[in-house]
Amino acid sequence: MLHQLAAALTVRAPAVAALLAPTPTPEPSGDGFDFSRISPDPSAVPRSDLFYKLANAALFLGVISAVASL
């Protein structure tokens, strides 16, 4: 039974691979993606001040632990 299943999957593998193959994406026109349009928007994140305080505290503790380990 297992051999028959393996044989059936082996026969159908090229057809399945053709269906699952990714289609090529077109080349970007112009200079590509405009990265100047990407910028952080602190007003979109609720309580961003709390996040920055936690990130700075984690950075401070990381520096202190690195110095202490030396």
Side-chain angles (χ1 to χ4, degrees):
M1 172 92 176
L2 184 59
H3 296 292
Q4 292 172 345
L5 178 63
L9 290 176
T10 305
V11 170
R12 291 199 169 93
V16 172
L19 290 175
L20 297 178
T23 57
T25 57
E27 290 292 323
S29 61
D31 292 334
F33 190 77
D34 185 13
F35 287 98
S36 65
R37 294 177 48 195
I38 298 177
S39 62
D41 185 14
S43 64
V45 179
R47 309 258 332 211
S48 62
D49 57 337
L50 177 63
F51 173 75
Y52 284 119
K53 285 180 185 175
L54 290 174
N56 285 332
L59 179 63
F60 176 75
L61 291 175
V63 169
I64 294 299
S65 65
V67 170
S69 67
L70 290 176

